[in-house]
Amino acid sequence: MIRVVDVSHHYGVRPVLSHVNLEVPTGQLVAVMGPNGVGKSTLLGIIAGLMAPARGYVEINGLRRRSSEAAELQIRRQMAFLPDQPWLPEFKTGREWLMAIGELYDLDSDRLIDHISRLLDLFQLADKGEAPIRTYSNGQKKKLAICGVLVTEAPILILDEPFTGGLDPAAILALGRVMKHLAERKDMTVLMASQIAEMVEPLAHRIAILEGTQVKAYDTLEGLRKKTGCSGSLPEVFEKLVHPQTLEQIESYFNRPNS
Amino acid sequence: MKRGLLFHSNAVWPPLGLVALFAFIYGMLEAGLWIIEHPWRNVGLELEATPEIRATRTLLLGAAAVLYALYRLWRFHPAWNLAYAAWLRLSPWTPDKPLPLGPVHLVWQDAVVIGALAALARWHAQADPTIPLILFGAVYLAGMTFLLLLTRTWVPCLLLGFLWSAPIIPALRGPPTLGIIAGLIVVTWYGYRKSLRAFPWRRGEANGPASIRTSRPKSPLELEIRIDGLSNSPAARTPSLGWPFLWLSPKAVHSSVATSTSLSLSALFAWWTYCLMAGLEAPPDCAPMLFVFALIAALSRLAIYCSGLRPPFNIWGRLASGRIIVPGFDQVFVTPLIVVVVGSIGGAAVRVSEPWHQASAAGVMALLWFLLLNGGPSLRRWILTGQHRYHSPARLGTNRQLLKPI
């Protein structure tokens, strides 16, 4: 269970989040959506422990983040975070890096080696496993970063824009299936930020829509449909919630007499 | 019977290459002298008697003694040779058995080698025969001290830290120096045995690539201050895991400094201060020196603590939100500020305590170091619970050769 309690944050004088409250129950996959610059990455960074909020706090399975050394380490053992722009060590091979990440989580080395091989196969990186990361393309680096999160076997995953960053269609498909599998597990909690509503729709149990520093809506897709009165797909519901005038603007643009 | 085995001495003789190199260089010098002197023998030219030639010979003999001391440590101590240490760890060797490649401690062959050099110095080079002995002893003991540091044998290291600096004090020069040398030998021997008993040491060869400390120091004298990127410690391998993976690691990279460690090191640094001041004929004014030291030390501590970290929001954010002080972050400034204040007041106090200024300067130094090492929050606590944000390498000027974003 992830609890975000009255979190506010600002960089300088610009507010990014104000009085955000969110609960992600164990066993659910929750997607955070919203326009650019609305604070999705900041919210995920705060939950992941990358930064302390200006106000409010985050609880993971009843433990408050940064409240004590023991609590913080216990939270970290249960969580893995994929930032939107991870930095990977250029001189290490992909397999070495994944091993190092796995060892941080005290995973059994035999099991870790096997898991890494399966992950590299899944994301078509088996041929690159022994190559230094500097030889990887951007898409391959993104795949490796995703493998780095999955290899931890952490029960709570925080993923910031997992479907972007140059992933090829096969990798998006593979990741989608992995996420679907994770979403079906009762012991896994996944919180992800994504702009790709088509990918989110079949995966997310609940969707949080951020707008203007606050959570505008947080519900299941069905709940969001009821709230907006829109029976369409998630992109349409999202459009209706965040940019209600966009559809009319498009209509008006194409229906001008001169167009 | 096992104890007797400790003194085995096979394979200790200097390598043939080293002996040949020394013989060649020394022989070249002598041959050159002979070639120059021979035609002029009748007119009584004796280059051998000149101080320059005596100094050159002494230099060669001294260099041979230094090289031999370094060879003894480098060749036989597993701490130098990671492959040897790794092999030893897998072998049935135990500390009560002799080291398989040969002993690190002194054996009778050492007396023969140094005796030969001393004899050459006495009867051929017309130099002081104790020079090779002193140089061999000094380099051997200094090397052993370094190896004790390398193998983290902290208590003997601390004692050696006190002993090495003692001869600086004028009152301890002369006959008391012999007692200090005896102390150095005893402590080095004790430390060496202790370090062997602690084998395998926690160094690169003993650990996996991501072996990161998870607990508080085991030894009360264990000091772990890690500055990312400056050493070969696991924490220094931060870039090898990328960002933010190690920052959010479930294993704490930084350890706290135990109070006993802080006290011991503070006493050592105070002793060094005392020795330095006692060794100077005209001790300088301590007040500005203590202040400058306190300022630099406070800034260094701040730099270590804030490396890779930023406040949750900037100064404009503080002003705009009315939260001028953010206790969760600003706690990091408290100890450095106290250090600077203590440095200023302590410096003034030393100035007025004229007859006791050496002891009072040492006392202030001890206090400053104790505050620096033990003042809250500990680095571990700060990293894990401080109200800060872990900064992206993009804004830290990280070496892009090592770490690149996607």
Side-chain angles (χ1 to χ4, degrees):
Chain A
M1 156 84 86
I2 300 170
R3 277 187 74 217
V4 178
V5 182
D6 199 27
V7 162
S8 298
H9 197 68
H10 53 91
Y11 296 113
V13 292
R14 182 173 70 90
V16 183
L17 299 170
S18 61
H19 306 290
V20 170
N21 290 284
L22 198 70
E23 278 192 16
V24 181
T26 303
Q28 287 209 351
L29 190 152
V30 169
V32 178
M33 299 181 73
N36 293 330
V38 83
K40 299 186 295 296
S41 293
T42 302
L43 178 62
L44 263 60
I46 287 170
I47 294 169
L50 207 57
M51 63 186 88
R55 284 184 203 281
Y57 61 91
V58 172
E59 271 184 7
I60 311 290
N61 290 339
L63 295 167
R64 196 159 160 173
R65 277 226 95 124
R66 301 201 184 196
S67 59
S68 72
E69 295 168 47
E72 181 63 22
L73 288 174
Q74 200 173 332
I75 290 170
R76 288 178 180 204
R77 275 190 284 275
Q78 302 169 34
M79 183 180 275
F81 174 51
L82 174 76
D84 60 344
Q85 276 198 322
W87 289 57
L88 303 181
E90 293 282 295
F91 55 89
K92 281 208 159 203
T93 69
R95 201 180 287 273
E96 280 172 352
W97 182 70
L98 292 175
M99 280 297 291
I101 293 288
E103 282 171 12
L104 285 180
Y105 286 77
D106 279 335
L107 296 169
D108 174 69
S109 55
D110 288 344
R111 183 173 152 169
L112 187 57
I113 289 167
D114 176 58
H115 191 184
I116 289 170
S117 295
R118 285 187 287 122
L119 278 172
L120 292 177
D121 285 340
L122 178 67
F123 287 97
Q124 288 104 38
L125 288 173
D127 295 342
K128 297 287 285 183
E130 316 310 325
I133 295 173
R134 65 173 175 273
T135 64
Y136 286 37
S137 68
N138 282 346
Q140 287 172 325
K141 285 180 186 173
K142 179 75 180 192
K143 288 179 189 176
L144 191 67
I146 292 166
C147 292
V149 171
L150 296 175
V151 82
T152 63
E153 300 183 18
I156 300 173
L157 301 182
I158 311 291
L159 311 172
D160 195 357
E161 302 289 359
F163 295 107
T164 57
L167 289 184
D168 55 41
I172 291 175
L173 191 68
L175 181 60
R177 286 185 177 159
V178 170
M179 300 286 280
K180 179 97 182 145
H181 178 77
L182 295 177
E184 285 165 3
R185 282 176 55 178
K186 297 288 176 209
D187 57 338
M188 288 293 301
T189 309
V190 182
L191 180 65
M192 69 170 177
S194 181
Q195 300 280 25
I196 308 173
E198 291 82 357
M199 292 303 300
V200 168
E201 187 171 347
L203 297 173
H205 293 105
R206 305 180 89 186
I207 298 141
I209 309 287
L210 283 185
E211 196 195 12
T213 77
Q214 288 183 320
V215 178
K216 184 164 188 180
Y218 179 43
D219 212 332
T220 59
L221 178 57
E222 212 46 51
L224 292 178
R225 280 178 180 145
K226 278 183 192 158
K227 187 173 181 179
T228 53
C230 169
S231 58
S233 61
L234 179 60
E236 289 170 46
V237 173
F238 179 75
E239 203 68 64
K240 194 96 176 167
L241 263 171
V242 180
H243 303 297
Q245 66 279 49
T246 305
L247 291 174
E248 288 126 47
Q249 283 168 347
I250 290 170
E251 198 76 12
S252 138
Y253 174 77
F254 284 110
N255 289 337
R256 273 186 179 177
N258 293 340
S259 63
Chain B
M1 195 179 84
K2 278 181 179 174
R3 191 117 190 103
L5 285 173
L6 281 174
F7 291 89
H8 80 118
S9 53
N10 35 332
V12 176
W13 295 109
L16 205 60
L18 202 62
V19 176
L21 181 71
F22 171 73
F24 175 74
I25 295 172
Y26 203 85
M28 287 293 284
L29 177 72
E30 295 308 313
L33 278 176
W34 185 83
I35 289 167
I36 295 167
E37 275 184 349
H38 189 68
W40 303 96
R41 185 165 287 173
N42 295 336
V43 293
L45 177 66
E46 284 191 12
L47 283 175
E48 283 193 15
T50 59
E52 290 80 9
I53 295 300
R54 275 219 299 272
T56 309
R57 283 172 171 163
T58 309
L59 190 73
L60 280 176
L61 292 168
V66 167
L67 278 178
Y68 180 62
L70 290 174
Y71 163 76
R72 288 284 282 109
L73 298 172
W74 168 80
R75 179 73 181 79
F76 300 109
H77 205 299
W80 276 126
N81 189 337
L82 295 185
Y84 179 29
W87 171 79
L88 206 58
R89 205 172 67 245
L90 298 173
S91 74
W93 177 83
T94 51
D96 57 341
K97 293 176 183 165
L99 284 165
L101 289 189
V104 177
H105 60 256
L106 300 179
V107 287
W108 64 267
Q109 285 93 334
D110 298 321
V112 172
V113 174
I114 299 304
L117 291 174
L120 262 177
R122 171 71 182 83
W123 285 292
H124 185 260
Q126 277 91 46
D128 185 350
T130 59
I131 287 175
L133 176 66
I134 291 170
L135 284 172
F136 174 82
V139 172
Y140 179 84
L141 287 174
M144 283 297 277
T145 307
F146 175 70
L147 286 168
L148 291 178
L149 265 176
L150 212 61
T151 55
R152 303 178 179 208
T153 319
W154 300 116
V155 177
C157 275
L158 190 74
L159 293 172
L160 289 171
F162 280 99
L163 286 168
W164 273 111
S165 51
I168 299 172
I169 300 173
L172 295 178
R173 288 177 195 157
T177 308
L178 293 175
I180 293 167
I181 292 169
L184 280 169
I185 292 168
V186 169
V187 174
T188 303
W189 171 254
Y190 162 74
Y192 167 62
R193 296 301 309 157
K194 196 171 185 300
S195 74
L196 283 187
R197 281 196 296 277
F199 183 83
W201 307 297
R202 197 177 54 239
R203 286 187 65 217
E205 42 70 46
N207 294 328
S211 56
I212 289 164
R213 314 237 6 245
T214 54
S215 59
R216 291 179 65 81
K218 285 177 187 165
S219 156
L221 281 167
E222 189 168 330
L223 173 72
E224 292 291 334
I225 297 178
R226 299 166 188 277
I227 304 172
D228 294 347
L230 291 187
S231 71
N232 195 30
S233 63
R237 294 198 286 268
T238 305
S240 70
L241 285 176
W243 184 90
F245 303 98
L246 198 79
W247 280 113
L248 298 176
S249 155
K251 295 190 177 179
V253 171
H254 302 275
S255 301
S256 302
V257 181
T259 307
S260 55
T261 307
S262 309
L263 283 170
S264 312
L265 287 175
S266 305
L268 179 64
F269 294 133
W271 172 246
W272 284 352
T273 307
Y274 180 81
C275 291
L276 196 67
M277 291 196 61
L280 292 171
E281 284 182 11
D285 182 8
C286 285
M289 292 176 75
L290 281 170
F291 175 73
V292 169
F293 169 78
L295 192 64
I296 292 172
L299 289 174
S300 303
R301 181 184 148 116
L302 208 54
I304 291 168
Y305 270 59
C306 291
S307 167
L309 303 174
R310 293 289 179 275
F313 42 90
N314 64 21
I315 189 74
W316 304 116
R318 289 187 190 225
L319 293 171
S321 63
R323 295 176 68 192
I324 306 299
I325 291 174
V326 183
F329 184 83
D330 295 342
Q331 57 176 323
V332 75
F333 298 113
V334 174
T335 296
L337 276 174
I338 293 174
V339 165
V340 173
V341 170
V342 168
S344 316
I345 297 171
V350 169
R351 193 175 271 170
V352 296
S353 64
E354 186 46 52
W356 308 99
H357 67 281
Q358 293 164 353
S360 52
V364 172
M365 188 57 87
L367 186 58
L368 288 175
W369 273 104
F370 184 75
L371 283 168
L372 285 166
L373 295 172
N374 212 47
S378 70
L379 190 54
R380 178 186 165 93
R381 184 171 177 76
W382 163 247
I383 297 277
L384 289 172
T385 66
Q387 195 183 354
H388 45 64
R389 56 191 160 115
Y390 303 126
H391 221 44
S392 157
R395 293 163 194 166
L396 291 174
T398 301
N399 185 350
R400 288 174 184 236
Q401 294 295 315
L402 301 177
L403 204 62
K404 281 191 177 172
I406 291 175

Short mmCIF file of all heavy atoms in Angstrom, two decimals, chain B residues 187-211:
data_model
loop_
_atom_site.label_atom_id
_atom_site.label_comp_id
_atom_site.label_asym_id
_atom_site.label_seq_id
_atom_site.Cartn_x
_atom_site.Cartn_y
_atom_site.Cartn_z
N VAL B 187 54.77 -2.89 18.25
CA VAL B 187 53.40 -2.64 17.77
C VAL B 187 53.24 -3.15 16.34
O VAL B 187 52.20 -3.73 15.98
CB VAL B 187 53.06 -1.14 17.86
CG1 VAL B 187 51.70 -0.86 17.24
CG2 VAL B 187 53.06 -0.68 19.31
N THR B 188 54.27 -2.95 15.52
CA THR B 188 54.19 -3.44 14.14
C THR B 188 54.05 -4.96 14.12
O THR B 188 53.23 -5.51 13.37
CB THR B 188 55.45 -3.02 13.36
OG1 THR B 188 55.58 -1.61 13.43
CG2 THR B 188 55.37 -3.43 11.89
N TRP B 189 54.84 -5.62 14.93
CA TRP B 189 54.77 -7.09 15.01
C TRP B 189 53.39 -7.54 15.48
O TRP B 189 52.77 -8.41 14.87
CB TRP B 189 55.87 -7.61 15.95
CG TRP B 189 55.72 -9.08 16.24
CD1 TRP B 189 55.28 -9.65 17.40
CD2 TRP B 189 55.99 -10.16 15.35
NE1 TRP B 189 55.25 -11.01 17.29
CE2 TRP B 189 55.70 -11.36 16.03
CE3 TRP B 189 56.46 -10.24 14.04
CZ2 TRP B 189 55.84 -12.61 15.46
CZ3 TRP B 189 56.60 -11.50 13.48
CH2 TRP B 189 56.30 -12.67 14.19
N TYR B 190 52.88 -6.87 16.53
CA TYR B 190 51.56 -7.22 17.06
C TYR B 190 50.49 -6.98 15.99
O TYR B 190 49.61 -7.81 15.77
CB TYR B 190 51.29 -6.37 18.31
CG TYR B 190 49.84 -6.30 18.71
CD1 TYR B 190 49.21 -7.40 19.31
CD2 TYR B 190 49.10 -5.14 18.51
CE1 TYR B 190 47.87 -7.32 19.66
CE2 TYR B 190 47.77 -5.06 18.87
CZ TYR B 190 47.16 -6.15 19.44
OH TYR B 190 45.84 -6.08 19.78
N GLY B 191 50.59 -5.84 15.32
CA GLY B 191 49.61 -5.50 14.28
C GLY B 191 49.67 -6.49 13.13
O GLY B 191 48.63 -6.89 12.59
N TYR B 192 50.88 -6.87 12.77
CA TYR B 192 51.05 -7.82 11.67
C TYR B 192 50.37 -9.15 11.99
O TYR B 192 49.63 -9.71 11.18
CB TYR B 192 52.53 -8.00 11.40
CG TYR B 192 52.87 -9.17 10.51
CD1 TYR B 192 52.42 -9.23 9.19
CD2 TYR B 192 53.65 -10.23 10.98
CE1 TYR B 192 52.73 -10.30 8.37
CE2 TYR B 192 53.96 -11.30 10.17
CZ TYR B 192 53.49 -11.34 8.87
OH TYR B 192 53.79 -12.40 8.07
N ARG B 193 50.60 -9.64 13.20
CA ARG B 193 49.97 -10.90 13.61
C ARG B 193 48.44 -10.74 13.64
O ARG B 193 47.70 -11.62 13.22
CB ARG B 193 50.46 -11.34 15.01
CG ARG B 193 51.94 -11.66 15.09
CD ARG B 193 52.36 -12.76 14.15
NE ARG B 193 51.52 -13.95 14.25
CZ ARG B 193 51.38 -14.85 13.28
NH1 ARG B 193 51.99 -14.68 12.13
NH2 ARG B 193 50.63 -15.91 13.44
N LYS B 194 48.00 -9.59 14.14
CA LYS B 194 46.56 -9.33 14.24
C LYS B 194 45.94 -9.27 12.83
O LYS B 194 44.85 -9.80 12.60
CB LYS B 194 46.34 -7.99 14.97
CG LYS B 194 44.94 -7.77 15.48
CD LYS B 194 44.94 -6.52 16.35
CE LYS B 194 43.63 -6.24 17.01
NZ LYS B 194 42.49 -6.02 16.27
N SER B 195 46.64 -8.63 11.92
CA SER B 195 46.10 -8.51 10.56
C SER B 195 46.03 -9.87 9.89
O SER B 195 45.09 -10.16 9.15
CB SER B 195 46.95 -7.55 9.72
OG SER B 195 48.17 -8.14 9.34
N LEU B 196 47.02 -10.74 10.16
CA LEU B 196 46.96 -12.08 9.58
C LEU B 196 45.78 -12.87 10.15
O LEU B 196 45.11 -13.62 9.44
CB LEU B 196 48.26 -12.84 9.85
CG LEU B 196 49.47 -12.46 9.00
CD1 LEU B 196 50.62 -13.41 9.28
CD2 LEU B 196 49.16 -12.47 7.51
N ARG B 197 45.54 -12.67 11.44
CA ARG B 197 44.41 -13.38 12.06
C ARG B 197 43.07 -12.91 11.48
O ARG B 197 42.10 -13.63 11.48
CB ARG B 197 44.42 -13.20 13.58
CG ARG B 197 45.43 -14.11 14.30
CD ARG B 197 45.14 -14.17 15.78
NE ARG B 197 45.31 -12.90 16.45
CZ ARG B 197 46.48 -12.41 16.87
NH1 ARG B 197 47.58 -13.11 16.69
NH2 ARG B 197 46.55 -11.25 17.47
N ALA B 198 43.07 -11.65 11.02
CA ALA B 198 41.81 -11.09 10.48
C ALA B 198 41.63 -11.41 9.00
O ALA B 198 40.63 -11.00 8.39
CB ALA B 198 41.80 -9.58 10.67
N PHE B 199 42.56 -12.13 8.41
CA PHE B 199 42.47 -12.46 6.99
C PHE B 199 41.24 -13.35 6.73
O PHE B 199 40.96 -14.22 7.55
CB PHE B 199 43.76 -13.18 6.56
CG PHE B 199 43.79 -13.52 5.10
CD1 PHE B 199 44.19 -12.58 4.18
CD2 PHE B 199 43.40 -14.77 4.65
CE1 PHE B 199 44.22 -12.87 2.82
CE2 PHE B 199 43.42 -15.07 3.30
CZ PHE B 199 43.84 -14.12 2.39
N PRO B 200 40.48 -13.25 5.65
CA PRO B 200 40.68 -12.33 4.53
C PRO B 200 40.19 -10.93 4.84
O PRO B 200 39.16 -10.76 5.47
CB PRO B 200 39.84 -12.95 3.42
CG PRO B 200 38.78 -13.71 4.13
CD PRO B 200 39.36 -14.17 5.44
N TRP B 201 40.95 -9.97 4.36
CA TRP B 201 40.60 -8.58 4.64
C TRP B 201 39.50 -8.15 3.71
O TRP B 201 39.38 -8.65 2.59
CB TRP B 201 41.84 -7.71 4.44
CG TRP B 201 42.98 -8.22 5.25
CD1 TRP B 201 43.06 -8.30 6.60
CD2 TRP B 201 44.21 -8.78 4.75
NE1 TRP B 201 44.24 -8.86 6.98
CE2 TRP B 201 44.98 -9.16 5.87
CE3 TRP B 201 44.73 -8.97 3.49
CZ2 TRP B 201 46.23 -9.73 5.75
CZ3 TRP B 201 45.97 -9.54 3.36
CH2 TRP B 201 46.71 -9.91 4.48
N ARG B 202 38.73 -7.16 4.19
CA ARG B 202 37.62 -6.67 3.37
C ARG B 202 38.14 -5.65 2.36
O ARG B 202 38.16 -4.46 2.59
CB ARG B 202 36.56 -6.03 4.26
CG ARG B 202 35.23 -5.88 3.59
CD ARG B 202 34.21 -5.32 4.51
NE ARG B 202 34.66 -4.09 5.12
CZ ARG B 202 34.78 -3.91 6.42
NH1 ARG B 202 34.49 -4.87 7.23
NH2 ARG B 202 35.19 -2.74 6.89
N ARG B 203 38.66 -6.17 1.28
CA ARG B 203 39.14 -5.29 0.21
C ARG B 203 38.55 -5.78 -1.10
O ARG B 203 37.74 -6.68 -1.14
CB ARG B 203 40.66 -5.32 0.15
CG ARG B 203 41.33 -4.58 1.27
CD ARG B 203 42.81 -4.51 1.05
NE ARG B 203 43.12 -3.73 -0.14
CZ ARG B 203 44.12 -4.05 -0.96
NH1 ARG B 203 44.85 -5.10 -0.75
NH2 ARG B 203 44.36 -3.31 -2.02
N GLY B 204 39.00 -5.19 -2.18
CA GLY B 204 38.46 -5.52 -3.50
C GLY B 204 38.44 -7.01 -3.78
O GLY B 204 37.49 -7.55 -4.31
N GLU B 205 39.56 -7.72 -3.40
CA GLU B 205 39.62 -9.14 -3.73
C GLU B 205 38.64 -9.96 -2.89
O GLU B 205 38.30 -11.06 -3.25
CB GLU B 205 41.04 -9.70 -3.57
CG GLU B 205 41.82 -9.26 -2.34
CD GLU B 205 41.34 -9.79 -1.02
OE1 GLU B 205 41.06 -10.98 -0.91
OE2 GLU B 205 41.26 -9.01 -0.09
N ALA B 206 38.21 -9.38 -1.78
CA ALA B 206 37.35 -10.16 -0.90
C ALA B 206 35.88 -9.94 -1.17
O ALA B 206 35.05 -10.67 -0.69
CB ALA B 206 37.64 -9.81 0.55
N ASN B 207 35.59 -8.91 -1.95
CA ASN B 207 34.19 -8.54 -2.12
C ASN B 207 33.74 -8.68 -3.56
O ASN B 207 34.52 -8.61 -4.48
CB ASN B 207 33.99 -7.09 -1.68
CG ASN B 207 34.21 -6.93 -0.20
OD1 ASN B 207 33.94 -7.84 0.56
ND2 ASN B 207 34.73 -5.81 0.19
N GLY B 208 32.45 -8.84 -3.71
CA GLY B 208 31.86 -8.85 -5.03
C GLY B 208 31.75 -7.43 -5.56
O GLY B 208 32.07 -6.48 -4.84
N PRO B 209 31.29 -7.27 -6.77
CA PRO B 209 31.26 -5.95 -7.37
C PRO B 209 30.33 -4.98 -6.66
O PRO B 209 30.56 -3.79 -6.69
CB PRO B 209 30.78 -6.22 -8.79
CG PRO B 209 30.13 -7.57 -8.74
CD PRO B 209 30.83 -8.31 -7.65
N ALA B 210 29.32 -5.48 -6.05
CA ALA B 210 28.39 -4.55 -5.42
C ALA B 210 28.28 -4.80 -3.93
O ALA B 210 27.25 -4.59 -3.33
CB ALA B 210 27.02 -4.68 -6.07
N SER B 211 29.36 -5.28 -3.36
CA SER B 211 29.31 -5.56 -1.93
C SER B 211 29.36 -4.24 -1.18
O SER B 211 30.36 -3.57 -1.16
CB SER B 211 30.47 -6.44 -1.53
OG SER B 211 31.65 -5.82 -1.90
#
